Amino acid sequence: MKNTLKKQLREKAKDHPITMGVLSVKNKVNGKEYIQGSLNLEALTNKMKFLLNGGMFTQSQLQKEWKEYGSEAFIFEFAVIIPLQENQYINYRQEISKAEEIVISKIKSELY
């Protein structure tokens, strides 16, 4: 019975579409944002929350603020979603990098 459940979960995971794009982590207290692109935004979100809760996140300022303000002070949002296309020649890593740059420049222009 255990193996049947595992099989069903594996099949469900295969059918689940992966969301690519740019993740924004906003601090509601001071308005700062952390931006990162990924080929799998759901996995990135889970990884970041795990690392932040464990005090192991590599970006020290975000880790410090997470510890200081708590998880309730942060909003995780998909800033840009890059749709999966039928074109086999699309470099999704490059598309994600471009989207990251656009989001960062937009944030900078709003600050100044």
Side-chain angles (χ1 to χ4, degrees), residues 7-18:
K7 225 179 211 180
Q8 288 173 345
L9 290 174
R10 268 192 227 111
E11 289 301 316
K12 186 177 179 182
K14 284 181 189 177
D15 295 337
H16 180 73
I18 294 174

Side-chain angles (χ1 to χ4, degrees), residues 107-112:
I107 292 169
K108 284 181 179 178
S109 69
E110 290 173 357
L111 294 174
Y112 302 108

Side-chain angles (χ1 to χ4, degrees), residues 49-84:
K49 287 180 179 179
F50 176 80
L51 292 172
L52 287 164
N53 287 327
M56 301 176 286
F57 195 69
T58 56
Q59 211 283 337
S60 59
Q61 186 63 36
L62 179 57
Q63 182 65 64
K64 179 183 167 202
E65 291 175 7
W66 186 272
K67 186 175 181 181
E68 184 178 339
Y69 301 122
S71 62
E72 310 80 39
F74 293 87
I75 300 170
F76 287 76
E77 293 180 324
F78 296 170
V80 175
I81 295 175
I82 297 175
L84 186 62

Side-chain angles (χ1 to χ4, degrees), residues 7-101:
K7 225 179 211 180
Q8 288 173 345
L9 290 174
R10 268 192 227 111
E11 289 301 316
K12 186 177 179 182
K14 284 181 189 177
D15 295 337
H16 180 73
I18 294 174
T19 308
M20 297 180 280
V22 179
L23 177 69
S24 167
V25 182
K26 294 180 185 179
N27 184 329
K28 295 187 285 186
V29 176
N30 61 19
K32 291 182 182 177
E33 275 186 77
Y34 177 83
I35 303 297
Q36 186 173 343
S38 176
L39 292 170
N40 189 333
L41 290 174
E42 290 90 354
L44 176 62
T45 302
N46 291 336
K47 178 183 176 182
M48 285 181 67
K49 287 180 179 179
F50 176 80
L51 292 172
L52 287 164
N53 287 327
M56 301 176 286
F57 195 69
T58 56
Q59 211 283 337
S60 59
Q61 186 63 36
L62 179 57
Q63 182 65 64
K64 179 183 167 202
E65 291 175 7
W66 186 272
K67 186 175 181 181
E68 184 178 339
Y69 301 122
S71 62
E72 310 80 39
F74 293 87
I75 300 170
F76 287 76
E77 293 180 324
F78 296 170
V80 175
I81 295 175
I82 297 175
L84 186 62
Q85 298 178 22
E86 297 300 318
N87 185 343
Q88 64 180 341
Y89 300 107
I90 291 180
N91 183 339
Y92 287 106
R93 291 185 193 280
Q94 192 174 22
E95 295 299 314
I96 291 168
S97 292
K98 288 178 193 175
E100 267 184 334
E101 291 173 16

